[in-house]
Amino acid sequence: TYIPYTNRPLGWHTDGYYNAGGLQIRAWLLYCARPAAEGGANGILDHEIAYIRLRDHNPDWIRALMADDAFTIPSNTEKGQEIRPDHAGPVFSISADGTLHMRYSARQRNVVWKDDDDTRGAATFLLDLFKAGDDHMFELRLNAGEGIISNNILHRRDGFRDPQDTSLNRLMYRARYYQRLPQPED
């Protein structure tokens, strides 16, 4: 079972980081129908803040993470059948509409970073940022009837515990979109 479908914690990531270039997730919605009995809080950080923190610390790291081979998700094979081939691509890219997009997972397994000093430095910096925290990181535990709509910001989830009565288990609905949310008009 994949971790998102369990009660285990999920590390920092953007949705669809394992998707091929043309199928990048640009926005998502998370709606809570029923919260877990305990835990399940989400951490969120706008990926543009992560970009700024990296750029301000070392602009070469941004160039490294914009390389077409900066970040690879290895193929997924089950029972000898390839479900998904390797997907290499940039961590940061500029979308056709001029907006910043991020493709990222803090996972230490099943993620291959380009083997050069700047890419390794940037990857380490991001992990350290997530551990240390930032004034722009927020934590929230969704209650029934609450949700989040975002342009695929960085997010994570704490582990959680469901009640004994399985009819009251945590129930979240998620929708993912290939298009960004429109920006409000000035």
Side-chain angles (χ1 to χ4, degrees), residues 112-141:
V112 179
W113 290 94
K114 185 176 181 177
D115 190 18
D116 67 44
D117 290 342
D118 284 334
T119 305
R120 284 191 305 275
T124 299
F125 181 88
L126 285 171
L127 289 175
D128 290 345
L129 173 69
F130 300 142
K131 288 177 190 168
D134 187 279
D135 291 343
H136 295 283
M137 284 181 179
F138 298 95
E139 185 165 307
L140 63 142
R141 184 175 186 270

PDB file of all heavy atoms in Angstrom, residues 112-141:
ATOM      1  N   VAL A 112      15.945  10.140  -7.058  1.00  0.00           N
ATOM      2  CA  VAL A 112      17.351  10.212  -7.431  1.00  0.00           C
ATOM      3  C   VAL A 112      17.666  11.654  -7.812  1.00  0.00           C
ATOM      4  O   VAL A 112      17.088  12.196  -8.758  1.00  0.00           O
ATOM      5  CB  VAL A 112      17.667   9.273  -8.622  1.00  0.00           C
ATOM      6  CG1 VAL A 112      19.134   9.381  -9.019  1.00  0.00           C
ATOM      7  CG2 VAL A 112      17.283   7.838  -8.289  1.00  0.00           C
ATOM      8  N   TRP A 113      18.564  12.260  -7.049  1.00  0.00           N
ATOM      9  CA  TRP A 113      19.009  13.618  -7.335  1.00  0.00           C
ATOM     10  C   TRP A 113      20.224  13.564  -8.246  1.00  0.00           C
ATOM     11  O   TRP A 113      21.048  12.662  -8.137  1.00  0.00           O
ATOM     12  CB  TRP A 113      19.378  14.332  -6.031  1.00  0.00           C
ATOM     13  CG  TRP A 113      18.187  14.621  -5.187  1.00  0.00           C
ATOM     14  CD1 TRP A 113      17.684  13.852  -4.176  1.00  0.00           C
ATOM     15  CD2 TRP A 113      17.327  15.750  -5.280  1.00  0.00           C
ATOM     16  NE1 TRP A 113      16.572  14.432  -3.639  1.00  0.00           N
ATOM     17  CE2 TRP A 113      16.323  15.607  -4.300  1.00  0.00           C
ATOM     18  CE3 TRP A 113      17.301  16.878  -6.105  1.00  0.00           C
ATOM     19  CZ2 TRP A 113      15.322  16.542  -4.113  1.00  0.00           C
ATOM     20  CZ3 TRP A 113      16.302  17.816  -5.914  1.00  0.00           C
ATOM     21  CH2 TRP A 113      15.318  17.642  -4.932  1.00  0.00           C
ATOM     22  N   LYS A 114      20.337  14.537  -9.136  1.00  0.00           N
ATOM     23  CA  LYS A 114      21.511  14.655  -9.985  1.00  0.00           C
ATOM     24  C   LYS A 114      22.749  14.717  -9.093  1.00  0.00           C
ATOM     25  O   LYS A 114      22.751  15.382  -8.055  1.00  0.00           O
ATOM     26  CB  LYS A 114      21.408  15.907 -10.849  1.00  0.00           C
ATOM     27  CG  LYS A 114      22.533  16.059 -11.850  1.00  0.00           C
ATOM     28  CD  LYS A 114      22.280  17.277 -12.724  1.00  0.00           C
ATOM     29  CE  LYS A 114      23.364  17.439 -13.756  1.00  0.00           C
ATOM     30  NZ  LYS A 114      23.064  18.579 -14.642  1.00  0.00           N
ATOM     31  N   ASP A 115      23.790  14.016  -9.508  1.00  0.00           N
ATOM     32  CA  ASP A 115      24.991  13.885  -8.676  1.00  0.00           C
ATOM     33  C   ASP A 115      25.980  15.012  -8.975  1.00  0.00           C
ATOM     34  O   ASP A 115      26.976  14.810  -9.656  1.00  0.00           O
ATOM     35  CB  ASP A 115      25.628  12.511  -8.901  1.00  0.00           C
ATOM     36  CG  ASP A 115      26.731  12.212  -7.910  1.00  0.00           C
ATOM     37  OD1 ASP A 115      26.798  12.882  -6.856  1.00  0.00           O
ATOM     38  OD2 ASP A 115      27.548  11.312  -8.192  1.00  0.00           O
ATOM     39  N   ASP A 116      25.661  16.204  -8.468  1.00  0.00           N
ATOM     40  CA  ASP A 116      26.619  17.315  -8.536  1.00  0.00           C
ATOM     41  C   ASP A 116      26.469  18.154  -7.265  1.00  0.00           C
ATOM     42  O   ASP A 116      25.462  18.060  -6.567  1.00  0.00           O
ATOM     43  CB  ASP A 116      26.469  18.153  -9.816  1.00  0.00           C
ATOM     44  CG  ASP A 116      25.174  18.922  -9.900  1.00  0.00           C
ATOM     45  OD1 ASP A 116      24.752  19.538  -8.902  1.00  0.00           O
ATOM     46  OD2 ASP A 116      24.570  18.938 -10.983  1.00  0.00           O
ATOM     47  N   ASP A 117      27.472  18.964  -6.976  1.00  0.00           N
ATOM     48  CA  ASP A 117      27.514  19.703  -5.709  1.00  0.00           C
ATOM     49  C   ASP A 117      26.323  20.645  -5.525  1.00  0.00           C
ATOM     50  O   ASP A 117      25.738  20.700  -4.436  1.00  0.00           O
ATOM     51  CB  ASP A 117      28.813  20.505  -5.599  1.00  0.00           C
ATOM     52  CG  ASP A 117      30.036  19.612  -5.396  1.00  0.00           C
ATOM     53  OD1 ASP A 117      29.855  18.434  -5.007  1.00  0.00           O
ATOM     54  OD2 ASP A 117      31.152  20.096  -5.627  1.00  0.00           O
ATOM     55  N   ASP A 118      25.959  21.386  -6.570  1.00  0.00           N
ATOM     56  CA  ASP A 118      24.868  22.353  -6.422  1.00  0.00           C
ATOM     57  C   ASP A 118      23.520  21.664  -6.193  1.00  0.00           C
ATOM     58  O   ASP A 118      22.729  22.114  -5.368  1.00  0.00           O
ATOM     59  CB  ASP A 118      24.795  23.281  -7.635  1.00  0.00           C
ATOM     60  CG  ASP A 118      25.884  24.343  -7.611  1.00  0.00           C
ATOM     61  OD1 ASP A 118      26.360  24.697  -6.501  1.00  0.00           O
ATOM     62  OD2 ASP A 118      26.265  24.823  -8.694  1.00  0.00           O
ATOM     63  N   THR A 119      23.263  20.588  -6.914  1.00  0.00           N
ATOM     64  CA  THR A 119      21.993  19.878  -6.735  1.00  0.00           C
ATOM     65  C   THR A 119      21.929  19.251  -5.350  1.00  0.00           C
ATOM     66  O   THR A 119      20.912  19.371  -4.657  1.00  0.00           O
ATOM     67  CB  THR A 119      21.806  18.809  -7.826  1.00  0.00           C
ATOM     68  OG1 THR A 119      21.918  19.435  -9.106  1.00  0.00           O
ATOM     69  CG2 THR A 119      20.463  18.126  -7.706  1.00  0.00           C
ATOM     70  N   ARG A 120      23.005  18.601  -4.928  1.00  0.00           N
ATOM     71  CA  ARG A 120      23.026  18.014  -3.579  1.00  0.00           C
ATOM     72  C   ARG A 120      22.889  19.097  -2.506  1.00  0.00           C
ATOM     73  O   ARG A 120      22.183  18.919  -1.520  1.00  0.00           O
ATOM     74  CB  ARG A 120      24.303  17.209  -3.368  1.00  0.00           C
ATOM     75  CG  ARG A 120      24.304  15.848  -4.054  1.00  0.00           C
ATOM     76  CD  ARG A 120      25.481  14.975  -3.600  1.00  0.00           C
ATOM     77  NE  ARG A 120      26.773  15.628  -3.769  1.00  0.00           N
ATOM     78  CZ  ARG A 120      27.481  15.635  -4.901  1.00  0.00           C
ATOM     79  NH1 ARG A 120      27.025  15.003  -5.959  1.00  0.00           N
ATOM     80  NH2 ARG A 120      28.648  16.254  -4.972  1.00  0.00           N
ATOM     81  N   GLY A 121      23.565  20.226  -2.701  1.00  0.00           N
ATOM     82  CA  GLY A 121      23.472  21.333  -1.745  1.00  0.00           C
ATOM     83  C   GLY A 121      22.058  21.873  -1.636  1.00  0.00           C
ATOM     84  O   GLY A 121      21.562  22.136  -0.537  1.00  0.00           O
ATOM     85  N   ALA A 122      21.394  22.036  -2.777  1.00  0.00           N
ATOM     86  CA  ALA A 122      20.019  22.533  -2.785  1.00  0.00           C
ATOM     87  C   ALA A 122      19.071  21.537  -2.117  1.00  0.00           C
ATOM     88  O   ALA A 122      18.204  21.937  -1.326  1.00  0.00           O
ATOM     89  CB  ALA A 122      19.571  22.803  -4.216  1.00  0.00           C
ATOM     90  N   ALA A 123      19.234  20.255  -2.407  1.00  0.00           N
ATOM     91  CA  ALA A 123      18.374  19.225  -1.805  1.00  0.00           C
ATOM     92  C   ALA A 123      18.548  19.207  -0.289  1.00  0.00           C
ATOM     93  O   ALA A 123      17.563  19.119   0.458  1.00  0.00           O
ATOM     94  CB  ALA A 123      18.685  17.860  -2.411  1.00  0.00           C
ATOM     95  N   THR A 124      19.779  19.316   0.176  1.00  0.00           N
ATOM     96  CA  THR A 124      20.050  19.342   1.616  1.00  0.00           C
ATOM     97  C   THR A 124      19.472  20.596   2.254  1.00  0.00           C
ATOM     98  O   THR A 124      18.890  20.551   3.338  1.00  0.00           O
ATOM     99  CB  THR A 124      21.572  19.247   1.879  1.00  0.00           C
ATOM    100  OG1 THR A 124      22.043  18.009   1.336  1.00  0.00           O
ATOM    101  CG2 THR A 124      21.897  19.323   3.352  1.00  0.00           C
ATOM    102  N   PHE A 125      19.627  21.733   1.578  1.00  0.00           N
ATOM    103  CA  PHE A 125      19.091  22.994   2.091  1.00  0.00           C
ATOM    104  C   PHE A 125      17.579  22.885   2.296  1.00  0.00           C
ATOM    105  O   PHE A 125      17.049  23.345   3.310  1.00  0.00           O
ATOM    106  CB  PHE A 125      19.417  24.143   1.140  1.00  0.00           C
ATOM    107  CG  PHE A 125      18.912  25.477   1.613  1.00  0.00           C
ATOM    108  CD1 PHE A 125      19.689  26.266   2.436  1.00  0.00           C
ATOM    109  CD2 PHE A 125      17.656  25.936   1.235  1.00  0.00           C
ATOM    110  CE1 PHE A 125      19.229  27.497   2.889  1.00  0.00           C
ATOM    111  CE2 PHE A 125      17.185  27.157   1.677  1.00  0.00           C
ATOM    112  CZ  PHE A 125      17.968  27.948   2.509  1.00  0.00           C
ATOM    113  N   LEU A 126      16.872  22.304   1.328  1.00  0.00           N
ATOM    114  CA  LEU A 126      15.418  22.160   1.465  1.00  0.00           C
ATOM    115  C   LEU A 126      15.060  21.289   2.658  1.00  0.00           C
ATOM    116  O   LEU A 126      14.175  21.641   3.446  1.00  0.00           O
ATOM    117  CB  LEU A 126      14.811  21.594   0.177  1.00  0.00           C
ATOM    118  CG  LEU A 126      14.713  22.566  -0.987  1.00  0.00           C
ATOM    119  CD1 LEU A 126      14.305  21.840  -2.261  1.00  0.00           C
ATOM    120  CD2 LEU A 126      13.732  23.691  -0.672  1.00  0.00           C
ATOM    121  N   LEU A 127      15.740  20.165   2.821  1.00  0.00           N
ATOM    122  CA  LEU A 127      15.464  19.309   3.984  1.00  0.00           C
ATOM    123  C   LEU A 127      15.712  20.055   5.284  1.00  0.00           C
ATOM    124  O   LEU A 127      14.920  19.957   6.235  1.00  0.00           O
ATOM    125  CB  LEU A 127      16.319  18.037   3.926  1.00  0.00           C
ATOM    126  CG  LEU A 127      15.948  17.016   2.863  1.00  0.00           C
ATOM    127  CD1 LEU A 127      16.962  15.867   2.857  1.00  0.00           C
ATOM    128  CD2 LEU A 127      14.533  16.486   3.066  1.00  0.00           C
ATOM    129  N   ASP A 128      16.805  20.817   5.338  1.00  0.00           N
ATOM    130  CA  ASP A 128      17.116  21.597   6.540  1.00  0.00           C
ATOM    131  C   ASP A 128      16.056  22.673   6.790  1.00  0.00           C
ATOM    132  O   ASP A 128      15.682  22.928   7.942  1.00  0.00           O
ATOM    133  CB  ASP A 128      18.497  22.234   6.433  1.00  0.00           C
ATOM    134  CG  ASP A 128      19.629  21.217   6.504  1.00  0.00           C
ATOM    135  OD1 ASP A 128      19.382  20.052   6.920  1.00  0.00           O
ATOM    136  OD2 ASP A 128      20.765  21.571   6.125  1.00  0.00           O
ATOM    137  N   LEU A 129      15.570  23.306   5.722  1.00  0.00           N
ATOM    138  CA  LEU A 129      14.513  24.306   5.848  1.00  0.00           C
ATOM    139  C   LEU A 129      13.264  23.687   6.462  1.00  0.00           C
ATOM    140  O   LEU A 129      12.640  24.260   7.366  1.00  0.00           O
ATOM    141  CB  LEU A 129      14.196  24.909   4.478  1.00  0.00           C
ATOM    142  CG  LEU A 129      13.006  25.862   4.401  1.00  0.00           C
ATOM    143  CD1 LEU A 129      13.304  27.162   5.141  1.00  0.00           C
ATOM    144  CD2 LEU A 129      12.647  26.148   2.940  1.00  0.00           C
ATOM    145  N   PHE A 130      12.896  22.511   5.987  1.00  0.00           N
ATOM    146  CA  PHE A 130      11.700  21.850   6.504  1.00  0.00           C
ATOM    147  C   PHE A 130      11.863  21.475   7.975  1.00  0.00           C
ATOM    148  O   PHE A 130      10.910  21.574   8.753  1.00  0.00           O
ATOM    149  CB  PHE A 130      11.357  20.611   5.672  1.00  0.00           C
ATOM    150  CG  PHE A 130      11.082  20.915   4.226  1.00  0.00           C
ATOM    151  CD1 PHE A 130      11.511  20.051   3.242  1.00  0.00           C
ATOM    152  CD2 PHE A 130      10.405  22.063   3.842  1.00  0.00           C
ATOM    153  CE1 PHE A 130      11.259  20.324   1.900  1.00  0.00           C
ATOM    154  CE2 PHE A 130      10.152  22.349   2.507  1.00  0.00           C
ATOM    155  CZ  PHE A 130      10.579  21.471   1.535  1.00  0.00           C
ATOM    156  N   LYS A 131      13.053  21.060   8.362  1.00  0.00           N
ATOM    157  CA  LYS A 131      13.309  20.703   9.771  1.00  0.00           C
ATOM    158  C   LYS A 131      13.314  21.939  10.662  1.00  0.00           C
ATOM    159  O   LYS A 131      12.781  21.914  11.767  1.00  0.00           O
ATOM    160  CB  LYS A 131      14.644  19.970   9.896  1.00  0.00           C
ATOM    161  CG  LYS A 131      14.626  18.570   9.360  1.00  0.00           C
ATOM    162  CD  LYS A 131      16.007  17.932   9.462  1.00  0.00           C
ATOM    163  CE  LYS A 131      16.046  16.628   8.699  1.00  0.00           C
ATOM    164  NZ  LYS A 131      17.418  16.130   8.533  1.00  0.00           N
ATOM    165  N   ALA A 132      13.953  23.017  10.190  1.00  0.00           N
ATOM    166  CA  ALA A 132      14.100  24.227  11.006  1.00  0.00           C
ATOM    167  C   ALA A 132      12.803  25.031  11.081  1.00  0.00           C
ATOM    168  O   ALA A 132      12.551  25.719  12.067  1.00  0.00           O
ATOM    169  CB  ALA A 132      15.220  25.103  10.435  1.00  0.00           C
ATOM    170  N   GLY A 133      12.014  24.969  10.039  1.00  0.00           N
ATOM    171  CA  GLY A 133      10.791  25.757   9.993  1.00  0.00           C
ATOM    172  C   GLY A 133      11.035  27.112   9.350  1.00  0.00           C
ATOM    173  O   GLY A 133      12.166  27.512   9.104  1.00  0.00           O
ATOM    174  N   ASP A 134       9.957  27.820   9.094  1.00  0.00           N
ATOM    175  CA  ASP A 134      10.004  29.117   8.439  1.00  0.00           C
ATOM    176  C   ASP A 134       8.744  29.872   8.854  1.00  0.00           C
ATOM    177  O   ASP A 134       7.693  29.256   9.086  1.00  0.00           O
ATOM    178  CB  ASP A 134      10.026  28.924   6.909  1.00  0.00           C
ATOM    179  CG  ASP A 134      10.240  30.217   6.155  1.00  0.00           C
ATOM    180  OD1 ASP A 134       9.259  30.969   5.963  1.00  0.00           O
ATOM    181  OD2 ASP A 134      11.391  30.480   5.777  1.00  0.00           O
ATOM    182  N   ASP A 135       8.836  31.183   8.932  1.00  0.00           N
ATOM    183  CA  ASP A 135       7.671  31.996   9.311  1.00  0.00           C
ATOM    184  C   ASP A 135       6.497  31.824   8.354  1.00  0.00           C
ATOM    185  O   ASP A 135       5.367  32.144   8.699  1.00  0.00           O
ATOM    186  CB  ASP A 135       8.049  33.483   9.351  1.00  0.00           C
ATOM    187  CG  ASP A 135       8.983  33.815  10.499  1.00  0.00           C
ATOM    188  OD1 ASP A 135       9.105  33.008  11.439  1.00  0.00           O
ATOM    189  OD2 ASP A 135       9.604  34.900  10.449  1.00  0.00           O
ATOM    190  N   HIS A 136       6.775  31.335   7.157  1.00  0.00           N
ATOM    191  CA  HIS A 136       5.719  31.170   6.158  1.00  0.00           C
ATOM    192  C   HIS A 136       5.177  29.742   6.101  1.00  0.00           C
ATOM    193  O   HIS A 136       4.357  29.432   5.228  1.00  0.00           O
ATOM    194  CB  HIS A 136       6.226  31.611   4.782  1.00  0.00           C
ATOM    195  CG  HIS A 136       6.537  33.068   4.733  1.00  0.00           C
ATOM    196  ND1 HIS A 136       5.568  34.038   4.630  1.00  0.00           N
ATOM    197  CD2 HIS A 136       7.711  33.729   4.826  1.00  0.00           C
ATOM    198  CE1 HIS A 136       6.125  35.227   4.634  1.00  0.00           C
ATOM    199  NE2 HIS A 136       7.432  35.070   4.754  1.00  0.00           N
ATOM    200  N   MET A 137       5.632  28.877   6.987  1.00  0.00           N
ATOM    201  CA  MET A 137       5.063  27.528   7.093  1.00  0.00           C
ATOM    202  C   MET A 137       3.863  27.595   8.029  1.00  0.00           C
ATOM    203  O   MET A 137       3.924  28.237   9.070  1.00  0.00           O
ATOM    204  CB  MET A 137       6.079  26.548   7.681  1.00  0.00           C
ATOM    205  CG  MET A 137       7.131  26.117   6.738  1.00  0.00           C
ATOM    206  SD  MET A 137       8.230  24.947   7.595  1.00  0.00           S
ATOM    207  CE  MET A 137       9.338  24.561   6.282  1.00  0.00           C
ATOM    208  N   PHE A 138       2.820  26.929   7.625  1.00  0.00           N
ATOM    209  CA  PHE A 138       1.617  26.901   8.441  1.00  0.00           C
ATOM    210  C   PHE A 138       1.229  25.454   8.712  1.00  0.00           C
ATOM    211  O   PHE A 138       1.476  24.574   7.885  1.00  0.00           O
ATOM    212  CB  PHE A 138       0.466  27.623   7.728  1.00  0.00           C
ATOM    213  CG  PHE A 138       0.761  29.071   7.491  1.00  0.00           C
ATOM    214  CD1 PHE A 138       1.290  29.493   6.286  1.00  0.00           C
ATOM    215  CD2 PHE A 138       0.537  30.004   8.487  1.00  0.00           C
ATOM    216  CE1 PHE A 138       1.583  30.823   6.061  1.00  0.00           C
ATOM    217  CE2 PHE A 138       0.834  31.344   8.277  1.00  0.00           C
ATOM    218  CZ  PHE A 138       1.355  31.760   7.067  1.00  0.00           C
ATOM    219  N   GLU A 139       0.624  25.238   9.856  1.00  0.00           N
ATOM    220  CA  GLU A 139       0.119  23.908  10.187  1.00  0.00           C
ATOM    221  C   GLU A 139      -1.363  24.039  10.489  1.00  0.00           C
ATOM    222  O   GLU A 139      -1.795  24.949  11.192  1.00  0.00           O
ATOM    223  CB  GLU A 139       0.847  23.333  11.400  1.00  0.00           C
ATOM    224  CG  GLU A 139       0.416  21.899  11.664  1.00  0.00           C
ATOM    225  CD  GLU A 139       1.340  21.162  12.595  1.00  0.00           C
ATOM    226  OE1 GLU A 139       2.551  21.150  12.323  1.00  0.00           O
ATOM    227  OE2 GLU A 139       0.834  20.599  13.576  1.00  0.00           O
ATOM    228  N   LEU A 140      -2.150  23.142   9.920  1.00  0.00           N
ATOM    229  CA  LEU A 140      -3.571  23.140  10.182  1.00  0.00           C
ATOM    230  C   LEU A 140      -4.104  21.720  10.162  1.00  0.00           C
ATOM    231  O   LEU A 140      -3.624  20.867   9.425  1.00  0.00           O
ATOM    232  CB  LEU A 140      -4.315  24.011   9.171  1.00  0.00           C
ATOM    233  CG  LEU A 140      -4.253  23.607   7.715  1.00  0.00           C
ATOM    234  CD1 LEU A 140      -5.599  23.859   7.069  1.00  0.00           C
ATOM    235  CD2 LEU A 140      -3.186  24.407   7.010  1.00  0.00           C
ATOM    236  N   ARG A 141      -5.049  21.502  11.013  1.00  0.00           N
ATOM    237  CA  ARG A 141      -5.760  20.222  11.060  1.00  0.00           C
ATOM    238  C   ARG A 141      -7.176  20.512  10.601  1.00  0.00           C
ATOM    239  O   ARG A 141      -7.901  21.257  11.262  1.00  0.00           O
ATOM    240  CB  ARG A 141      -5.747  19.639  12.466  1.00  0.00           C
ATOM    241  CG  ARG A 141      -6.382  18.275  12.536  1.00  0.00           C
ATOM    242  CD  ARG A 141      -6.226  17.675  13.940  1.00  0.00           C
ATOM    243  NE  ARG A 141      -6.701  16.322  13.972  1.00  0.00           N
ATOM    244  CZ  ARG A 141      -7.956  15.979  14.249  1.00  0.00           C
ATOM    245  NH1 ARG A 141      -8.871  16.907  14.497  1.00  0.00           N
ATOM    246  NH2 ARG A 141      -8.302  14.712  14.262  1.00  0.00           N
TER     247      ARG A 141
END
